[in-house]
Amino acid sequence: MKNDEQITSSPEFSPLAFGDDFAPLPEYKAAGTTEVDFSGLLGEPLKLHEDLTSGCGGQLWPAGMVLAKHMLRYHRDRLQDARILELGAGGGVVGLTVARGCASLQHPLYLTDMVEMELLMQHNISLNGLDDRVRARVLNWGEPLSQEIIRLKPDIILAADCVYFEPAFPLLMQTLQDLLALVPTATVFFCFKKRRRADMQFLKAARKAFTVTEIEDENRPTFSRVGLFLYTFTQKQ
């Protein structure tokens, strides 16, 4: 471990710990490694290295924590045969949590983001000993899907805090449409925090393109109070 790294134990996550004016660019904090176990839902804590050097995706964000905990609590026993891909993974908290918590996955799980995040994704995969089960790949929204992703045919797509930069909304929408066209039976699990009025315009566009369903979660009364939303997107019938 590098001398400048710090390992901290994360308390039980509460979105109320984050201010309602959660800004798109976080206050810089020194690179370090956080451990999370989602209130004991993970038997062995997940280690996440956080580093903002390559962009704001390098730290933990509340929507990622909400979606990761939801997948553990409600879906961990249903994902054995799933072909899972995470969009805008950053450090990979959602995908890595699923890989750690669902030990019987039959297919490699893919973390994807811009090239600037590739080394951090790979670092966190190795940090948790998941190199044989998780792959880090570059996927730029709006660009054609790679042949590797087309061969994967992902049927579970994870996306947390991907709504933060308005000019990227059409690109994200294009990638979601491409993925659901590739596998019309796929489900997108989508969690985001409303920070500005434009964020809800993305949701309005999503409702036109997909069947959008708000997900039941026992913590929804808590996280919805601070503008966190959890949905599934599926292909319109």
Side-chain angles (χ1 to χ4, degrees):
M1 181 181 299
K2 296 179 181 179
N3 291 333
D4 60 349
E5 286 188 2
Q6 299 176 343
I7 293 182
T8 59
S9 294
S10 177
E12 180 177 353
F13 174 72
S14 167
L16 294 176
F18 295 83
D20 199 31
D21 295 325
F22 203 64
L25 290 176
E27 181 179 351
Y28 180 82
K29 63 180 181 180
T33 300
T34 299
E35 293 187 353
V36 291
D37 70 356
F38 299 96
S39 306
L41 290 173
L42 282 179
E44 179 183 355
L46 188 72
K47 298 175 182 177
L48 273 301
H49 183 69
E50 298 181 79
D51 188 346
L52 294 173
T53 303
S54 298
C56 60
Q59 80 166 39
L60 290 173
W61 290 81
M65 299 292 284
V66 167
L67 181 54
K69 190 170 185 178
H70 176 84
M71 298 305 293
L72 279 180
R73 177 177 284 150
Y74 296 101
H75 300 284
R76 69 192 306 167
D77 298 325
R78 306 176 187 176
L79 297 173
Q80 292 90 338
D81 296 323
R83 298 179 301 278
I84 303 170
L85 179 143
E86 182 178 1
L87 291 174
V93 62
V94 184
L96 291 173
T97 297
V98 170
R100 169 60 56 79
C102 306
S104 57
L105 291 180
Q106 300 299 307
H107 303 281
L109 185 152
Y110 280 70
L111 306 180
T112 70
D113 209 316
M114 298 182 297
V115 66
E116 291 83 357
M117 292 290 109
E118 188 175 17
L119 288 178
L120 181 61
M121 291 189 293
Q122 187 58 58
H123 178 81
N124 282 333
I125 291 169
S126 299
L127 188 63
N128 290 281
L130 293 169
D131 296 84
D132 60 333
R133 305 175 60 201
V134 182
R135 298 174 183 173
R137 294 292 186 268
V138 174
L139 193 163
N140 293 314
W141 300 342
E143 295 184 0
L145 300 175
S146 70
Q147 287 301 308
E148 185 175 13
I149 298 304
I150 290 172
R151 287 192 299 270
L152 173 67
K153 290 183 169 56
D155 55 8
I156 296 290
I157 294 104
L158 307 171
D161 245 326
C162 291
V163 177
Y164 60 90
F165 183 54
E166 189 174 356
F169 289 0
L171 306 178
L172 174 58
M173 182 65 69
Q174 183 63 59
T175 293
L176 291 169
Q177 289 175 320
D178 290 347
L179 288 166
L180 287 176
L182 177 65
V183 184
T185 57
T187 299
V188 179
F189 290 87
F190 196 92
C191 188
F192 76 100
K193 179 178 174 68
K194 178 188 174 184
R195 297 183 176 90
R196 59 192 72 78
R197 187 174 301 172
D199 298 345
M200 302 313 288
Q201 292 302 311
F202 176 85
L203 186 62
K204 183 177 179 180
R207 291 188 187 278
K208 291 181 179 179
F210 315 117
T211 297
V212 176
T213 306
E214 188 163 13
I215 302 174
E216 290 296 328
D217 187 291
E218 66 182 59
N219 292 133
R220 191 171 74 181
T222 300
F223 62 69
S224 64
R225 286 203 299 270
V226 291
L228 284 158
F229 298 90
L230 184 57
Y231 295 97
T232 58
F233 297 171
T234 54
Q235 191 78 288
K236 284 183 179 290
Q237 300 299 315

